[in-house]
Amino acid sequence: MKTAPTPVERMKRKTVHVNWPAGARIIEFNPRNGTLARELLGAGFQYLGVSETKRQAERLQRGNPSLETHVVACREPKRIRQNNAEVLILNGGLAARIRCFRDIRHASFVVSPARNGPVLLWAMLFWLGQFLLGRLALPRLVQVGQMRLIEFRVRRPKSSSATRQFIPHRLGIEGFFRLLCESNLRHVVLRWFESLPQVPAGEDLDLLVGDESLSAVRMIFGSGPGLQAVDLYSVCGAPGADYQKLPYYPPYLAEELLDHSVMYHDLCHVPSPRDYFLSLAYHALYHKGLASGLQSRDRSKSANRHPEHDYPAILRRMAQRHGISLADTLEDFDAFLDAQGWRPPHDMLVRLARKNTWLHTLLKHDSADDVDAGLAVFLVRHGALARGGVQRAVKLVVQHGFEILETIPIDPQRIETVANSIRGGNWGPGPWPMSGGPPVAAIVVYDAAPIRPTRRQQRRFPFLANARLLKKEAIRDAFNSNRAASEHCNVIHSSDNGREARDYLRVVAPERAAAIVARIQPSSRHTSRAA
């Protein structure tokens, strides 16, 4: 038996004829009056009107008291792009000013009033061009109250699970952080929190949360339309809460940040003073490099003269407050962070170096001095256990020309620690249908005749010292044979060079690492031969 429609459902059927998701987040730019807003709110949608000036916003609020919390003034150049609207409504000729699909690809629908005139003509030329490129569906007319609107559906909107999130306007910054604290959601605002609860125009916040809190925090972000940007990161770098598909900090350091955080002005959690200095230096070096404004000792590498923030001066002042005497070059900070245990693992540095030219040069210099090109560590992952296990992996490694130095099972109580310390703590599925799981054993090997990588291999793996290590792809194939394609996973990972192998050994077997390396006789270290 069908239930009678609610008043809201009757209103929606009567006045709002759209295919937008129930309760969709709608942002209307340059609203002319409150008519459209009242219709949409009455139909159960989440609405925010954005005026260009404070005077326009106040006039709209005076004429429509019920919209007081649903209207805001904002004239930021990127306001149309920087929001979490599922439906964008563009008034006042804004539709004709859109020149870049990136400005609207975060929304599912883009809507403009159906008014004749040159503005509509110019807008239609852009929209139809996007249709021909396959980005937008054909336009359709929709009805909201007495208003007729032209609607364009975005075919492949940007994922709502992306790192960039937005604080719902109805909560505001204070309400947002109050909700995090009341809900016991572990979080820390990483930097530039000194002006909170105010945030300079155009600035975003950087928020680190515990993995167990991530889904709840995302639900808060999705609970209403907003303009204040927040970059969201989780401890282990979950998809959409990662940095270049890596955790923002190595997970063990991220946990320290959360555990040692302090309350700031009864508002939110921020890093302790020491962690703030170390984490900011980490960000300047390994995320920004020369873009931070810090100079390299290599004067051929020019630092950015106009960074977003004056990292050299800020870090210098912070170092002085902690009684630390430190030259402000990238290399000096790198050595300092290494001594403090804040340098990322080598394999994480390799992946960060893809977009950090200073770091890339530093690692290339290190790998050129690598005297242990034949030393390597294969990490057998949990997914291999049901497919032949560690013994099968050992046999395959030997078949491909490696000498086994030692096979080390990883104590179950240390698996999480080892996993968090290698590969940036990221042991997800990657391009495979399934994850191979965390590492459960290490196979330490030596190759007395390492093969020099070809130029093509070097372009793909810039820090690979021995091309024979690429045989791990054949080992993976062997473990996946006779398995359905949906069950394929990466069951083995390896170091790329001797320095990385020593890093792995210090993590897996710190008490035996030196003795294992010492077993490699100097006379057995040969020069790499060409592939």
Side-chain angles (χ1 to χ4, degrees):
M1 181 176 177
K2 291 185 178 179
T3 58
T6 65
V8 168
E9 289 173 335
R10 285 196 296 269
M11 180 182 292
K12 185 172 180 179
R13 291 176 186 177
K14 181 179 178 182
T15 62
V16 181
H17 303 284
V18 295
N19 293 324
W20 306 336
R25 298 184 299 272
I26 299 175
I27 296 184
E28 181 183 13
F29 287 93
N30 294 351
R32 300 183 58 166
N33 54 54
T35 303
L36 184 58
R38 290 194 302 272
E39 293 278 0
L40 294 170
L41 285 168
F45 292 109
Q46 302 180 80
Y47 173 89
L48 178 64
V50 182
S51 298
E52 285 197 350
T53 67
K54 189 175 180 180
R55 179 179 296 179
Q56 290 171 342
E58 290 174 346
R59 185 170 61 246
L60 193 59
Q61 290 166 335
R62 283 195 303 269
N64 304 270
S66 63
L67 301 183
E68 184 177 355
T69 60
H70 296 280
V71 177
V72 66
C74 179
R75 205 170 184 174
E76 283 296 312
K78 295 182 179 179
R79 63 192 183 280
I80 295 176
R81 179 187 305 179
Q82 296 286 3
N83 59 72
N84 64 346
E86 294 169 281
V87 181
L88 285 172
I89 302 178
L90 306 178
N91 292 298
L94 282 177
R97 295 183 219 168
I98 300 296
R99 293 288 183 272
C100 179
F101 179 67
R102 185 180 173 191
D103 290 339
I104 59 172
R105 69 182 293 257
H106 64 283
S108 297
F109 299 91
V110 185
V111 180
S112 181
R115 300 189 185 97
N116 293 327
V119 169
L120 179 62
L121 177 61
W122 281 109
M124 289 297 291
L125 289 174
F126 172 78
W127 302 124
L128 290 174
Q130 298 303 310
F131 163 73
L132 294 173
L133 290 172
R135 296 169 175 170
L136 298 177
L138 279 171
R140 61 187 292 267
L141 283 174
V142 298
Q143 188 84 21
V144 178
Q146 301 301 313
M147 293 190 63
R148 299 176 69 197
L149 307 169
I150 299 177
E151 171 203 277
F152 292 86
R153 180 176 60 83
V154 179
R155 290 183 180 274
R156 291 180 294 277
K158 188 177 181 181
S159 171
S160 59
S161 63
T163 301
R164 179 57 58 96
Q165 300 284 331
F166 296 86
I167 295 176
H169 177 71
R170 64 176 179 81
L171 288 177
I173 291 174
E174 290 187 69
F176 171 72
F177 284 119
R178 189 181 309 116
L179 186 55
L180 292 187
C181 293
E182 290 174 353
S183 303
N184 293 317
L185 298 175
R186 286 205 307 158
H187 70 278
V188 59
V189 181
L190 292 172
R191 54 186 168 271
W192 320 135
F193 46 77
E194 291 81 2
S195 64
L196 287 175
Q198 303 301 317
V199 178
E203 288 289 336
D204 58 76
L205 297 172
D206 296 282
L207 187 69
L208 174 71
V209 302
D211 292 311
E212 76 286 349
S213 301
L214 180 60
S215 60
V217 174
R218 277 182 171 156
M219 286 182 66
I220 295 173
F221 280 124
S223 65
L227 302 175
Q228 176 56 58
V230 177
D231 286 338
L232 178 65
Y233 305 102
S234 73
V235 167
C236 286
D242 59 295
Y243 180 79
Q244 298 179 16
K245 298 185 178 180
L246 289 169
Y248 199 72
Y249 296 108
Y252 57 91
L253 294 179
E255 287 288 358
E256 282 187 23
L257 278 169
L258 289 167
D259 291 343
H260 301 160
S261 65
V262 296
M263 183 64 77
Y264 182 76
H265 289 182
D266 292 323
L267 177 67
C268 60
H269 288 270
V270 302
S272 67
R274 176 183 178 276
D275 283 350
Y276 189 18
F277 173 49
L278 294 170
S279 63
L280 188 63
Y282 181 109
H283 172 62
L285 265 67
Y286 306 123
H287 293 158
K288 290 190 169 292
L290 293 167
S292 68
L294 289 167
Q295 184 62 55
S296 170
R297 289 178 190 166
D298 181 357
R299 294 298 170 174
S300 66
K301 306 289 184 183
S302 299
N304 186 346
R305 295 184 179 180
H306 305 287
E308 293 178 336
H309 298 275
D310 191 353
Y311 288 95
I314 294 169
L315 290 171
R316 194 181 305 118
R317 289 195 298 268
M318 295 175 81
Q320 290 171 353
R321 284 199 294 269
H322 288 278
I324 298 170
S325 178
L326 188 64
D328 55 359
T329 68
L330 290 163
E331 290 79 8
D332 286 302
F333 271 103
D334 178 54
F336 171 74
L337 291 177
D338 191 17
Q340 299 297 314
W342 268 76
R343 195 181 201 247
H346 187 273
D347 57 350
M348 191 171 179
L349 286 172
V350 167
R351 296 171 75 178
L352 289 169
R354 294 170 185 171
K355 294 187 178 181
N356 185 330
T357 55
W358 165 76
L359 190 54
H360 187 274
T361 301
L362 181 71
L363 294 180
K364 288 292 284 185
H365 175 75
D366 285 350
S367 63
D369 294 336
D370 189 1
V371 295
D372 289 330
L375 178 66
V377 174
F378 287 92
L379 294 172
V380 183
R381 301 175 64 172
H382 186 271
L385 296 182
R387 309 182 185 197
V390 177
Q391 290 305 313
R392 184 182 185 191
V394 168
K395 291 179 181 179
L396 289 169
V397 167
V398 171
Q399 286 176 17
H400 287 292
F402 294 96
E403 173 193 349
I404 305 294
L405 296 179
E406 195 159 339
T407 300
I408 307 171
I410 300 174
D411 188 321
Q413 295 182 345
R414 296 197 67 248
I415 285 177
E416 183 176 358
T417 300
V418 171
N420 287 342
S421 303
I422 295 174
R423 295 189 78 199
N426 190 340
W427 295 86
W432 301 81
M434 295 174 54
S435 168
V440 295
I443 305 172
V444 188
V445 304
Y446 190 73
D447 182 0
I451 302 171
R452 187 183 305 118
T454 65
R455 290 184 181 179
R456 185 174 183 178
Q457 290 168 336
Q458 204 76 65
R459 282 195 297 270
R460 187 180 174 194
F461 306 101
F463 304 102
L464 183 69
N466 181 5
R468 201 188 308 277
L469 289 169
L470 297 179
K471 294 295 184 180
K472 63 188 173 185
E473 296 178 3
I475 297 174
R476 291 167 183 162
D477 290 342
F479 271 94
N480 285 320
S481 63
N482 301 320
R483 294 272 177 169
S486 60
E487 297 180 0
H488 286 192
C489 63
N490 177 1
V491 299
I492 197 162
H493 172 72
S494 76
S495 57
D496 275 352
N497 51 62
R499 290 179 182 272
E500 199 166 277
R502 291 196 295 275
D503 281 348
Y504 287 10
L505 279 174
R506 283 192 287 266
V507 172
V508 173
E511 70 288 348
R512 288 152 59 195
I516 292 172
V517 173
R519 288 169 55 188
I520 305 171
Q521 298 299 322
S523 60
S524 68
R525 292 171 177 167
H526 300 293
T527 304
S528 297
R529 61 185 178 85

